[in-house]
Amino acid sequence: MAVWDDVVGQDRVTAQLAAAARDADAFITAQHAGAGTGPGERPAPQPSADRSGASQMTHAWLFTGPPGSGRSTAARAFAAALQCVSPDRALGGAPGCGFCDGCHTSLVGTHADVEIVRTDLLSIGVKETRDLVRRSSLSPAGGRWQVIVLEDADRLTEGAGNVLLKAVEEPAPRTVWLLCAPSVEDVLPTIRSRCRHLSLRTPPVGAVADVLVRRDGIEPEAADRAARATQGHIGRARRLATDERARARRAAVLKLPLRVDDIGGCLKAAQELIDAAGEDAKQVAEDVDTKETEELRAALGAAAGTGGRLPRGTAGAMKELQDKQKRRSTRTQRDSLDLALVDLTGFYRDVLALQMGASVPLANDEVRDSIHRIATVSTPERTLRRIEAVIACREALDRNVAPLLAVEAMTAALRAG
């Protein structure tokens, strides 16, 4: 299985990346065949893009696309192709076989020369970025490329972006940066101007269903239902098809439009959404925070068990961990809320499709009766206002508005239409 097989519905992008990987492989092969970089010699510069070389290798790439388009999957696949050591390459085979040690370790995240960076916090700060820049200055341990995949480049603070700029502007030899963000506007102009930009699209529903069947062993009917419900979002489709709790949460969200007939119903529905998001954050804390805390206490020399006293001078490290866990909890709650709001938008999208007589399949066919009921007692104008209310709630949450206030305002707007 080639590394590109999991990059769903992105034929144009994979063609560019495969061509760039071939150029990169030819460059490394030529270096190894020649004198290379002996002691005291200056390393040869890595290949760079020219005006016509869309398939030519370059040192920095920016992957953009809507959520679920597979930005990080494409970046990881490219990283694996750059590290491919398949002997078939000498016979004309393309790098990125998916089976060799270079491909396998890159894809699972254990390759010594591939650093995959993601965050479960609200932002990536200067300290973390400086560590990445230091890592990028190292020579590849395996003799090929030093690849850094930054999956949440849109979460870089302004200061962190300025730190990264220097490394992208003047890269170390044979270092490749792969940045992922929802759009080019989410990255500093000075950084994106120095990157090769690849724009990914939302994959077709059928393609997502196929990969769920092939890769995850999901029943075709369940895979098709999950892919249609998430409108091509690969990660959400997999979770919906495999996680019973996720299906229950989604079913509860899709009942909300029928529960906002009065102010009391609006307030109750809002509180339940907040409580459900809080439960998600609590579960993450139970799964991760306790383990992290115990590991740090052991590293600091505390006695085994939660009651052990910390040595003097270590309270600051524990406080830093607690702050990190609090930020992660906030991020988890926001992500859970946002997922519910996306499902709610999909419900009203189906309502609007019925009202306009559009010949598109419903994303939420399992609640067709509810959709039909809302569609018949409302108008397209009111449905559009309701969709705008959900979008406004998402924007308010991005601006750090108190979640309960934002959701209550949204449910009241849904009632008013």
Side-chain angles (χ1 to χ4, degrees):
M1 182 181 71
V3 296
W4 315 111
D5 288 354
D6 287 343
V7 185
V8 181
Q10 313 290 346
D11 294 343
R12 179 183 57 82
V13 169
T14 54
Q16 286 184 261
L17 292 176
R22 284 195 297 270
D23 284 355
D25 183 65
F27 174 79
I28 294 296
T29 301
Q31 275 204 327
H32 287 178
T37 55
E41 295 182 28
R42 184 179 181 182
Q46 56 185 327
S48 58
D50 61 19
R51 293 180 182 177
S52 61
S55 65
Q56 193 173 6
M57 181 61 184
T58 190
H59 72 282
W61 299 75
L62 175 60
F63 297 78
T64 66
S69 57
R71 301 184 300 261
S72 60
T73 301
R76 287 187 180 213
F78 186 38
L82 292 177
Q83 305 294 3
C84 183
V85 292
S86 169
D88 292 342
R89 294 174 299 115
L91 304 175
C97 66
F99 296 102
C100 70
D101 183 67
C103 287
H104 176 72
T105 54
S106 297
L107 291 174
V108 301
T110 59
H111 196 290
D113 293 327
V114 178
E115 180 78 4
I116 297 175
V117 183
R118 68 177 70 85
T119 183
D120 49 13
L121 304 179
L122 295 174
S123 62
I124 300 174
V126 171
K127 179 182 177 182
E128 299 94 323
T129 308
R130 282 179 177 156
D131 291 340
L132 281 182
V133 170
R134 281 193 290 269
R135 165 73 185 259
S136 73
S137 64
L138 301 176
S139 297
R144 298 189 68 79
W145 300 95
Q146 180 77 253
V147 184
I148 299 178
V149 181
L150 185 54
E151 293 188 356
D152 300 295
D154 55 307
R155 296 187 181 274
L156 289 166
T157 64
E158 184 176 355
N162 290 328
V163 170
L164 179 63
L165 173 61
K166 184 69 174 178
V168 174
E169 191 174 29
E170 299 177 7
R174 287 162 58 181
T175 291
V176 182
W177 289 91
L178 307 180
L179 312 181
C180 304
S183 70
V184 292
E185 287 76 17
D186 293 314
V187 180
L188 287 177
T190 47
I191 291 179
R192 67 182 185 236
S193 65
R194 289 162 173 80
C195 297
R196 173 81 57 79
H197 178 216
L198 294 175
S199 178
L200 283 72
R201 66 189 183 106
T202 299
V205 169
V208 174
D210 288 342
V211 79
L212 291 180
V213 173
R214 171 176 54 82
R215 184 177 59 189
D216 301 301
I218 297 169
E219 291 295 327
E221 184 178 348
D224 182 70
R225 186 166 55 249
R228 187 175 63 252
T230 58
Q231 291 296 285
H233 191 299
I234 302 171
R236 287 182 55 212
R238 183 184 299 111
R239 182 184 178 193
L240 196 62
T242 58
D243 188 346
E244 179 63 35
R245 193 182 65 166
R247 292 193 289 271
R249 290 279 173 84
R250 181 172 178 275
V253 170
L254 295 181
K255 293 177 182 177
L256 186 145
L258 299 177
R259 301 176 53 205
V260 292
D261 292 335
D262 53 53
I263 291 297
C266 293
L267 298 181
K268 184 177 180 181
Q271 186 64 61
E272 288 178 359
L273 275 183
I274 297 297
D275 290 343
E279 281 297 316
D280 281 345
K282 182 179 178 181
Q283 183 180 21
V284 170
E286 291 175 349
D287 294 343
V288 180
D289 290 4
T290 302
K291 181 181 177 182
E292 282 184 344
T293 301
E294 288 303 316
E295 287 177 349
L296 180 59
R297 291 177 66 88
L300 294 176
T306 57
R309 291 177 59 86
L310 288 170
R312 286 188 178 183
T314 60
M318 186 60 68
K319 178 65 164 58
E320 183 178 350
L321 176 63
Q322 290 170 350
D323 291 341
K324 174 185 174 182
Q325 292 172 344
K326 187 180 296 185
R327 293 195 300 271
R328 180 169 59 208
S329 178
T330 301
R331 163 87 186 267
T332 303
Q333 184 179 31
R334 288 187 182 180
D335 287 350
S336 179
L337 265 179
D338 191 67
L339 182 58
L341 297 179
V342 169
D343 287 333
L344 199 55
T345 304
F347 179 94
Y348 286 113
R349 171 260 191 197
D350 286 345
V351 171
L352 187 62
L354 283 185
Q355 290 173 330
M356 302 300 293
S359 58
V360 296
L362 298 183
N364 305 285
D365 193 61
E366 69 273 22
V367 290
R368 177 180 287 271
D369 291 344
S370 298
I371 293 170
H372 188 269
R373 175 179 170 184
I374 298 292
T376 54
V377 300
S378 183
T379 64
E381 292 78 12
R382 294 184 68 187
T383 303
L384 286 172
R385 286 196 292 270
R386 285 166 171 156
I387 293 175
E388 290 170 354
V390 179
I391 294 173
C393 182
R394 297 181 70 189
E395 293 173 346
L397 293 172
D398 282 340
R399 296 193 301 270
N400 293 322
V401 173
L404 184 57
L405 292 178
V407 177
E408 285 178 346
M410 178 197 72
T411 55
L414 294 180
R415 174 178 177 268

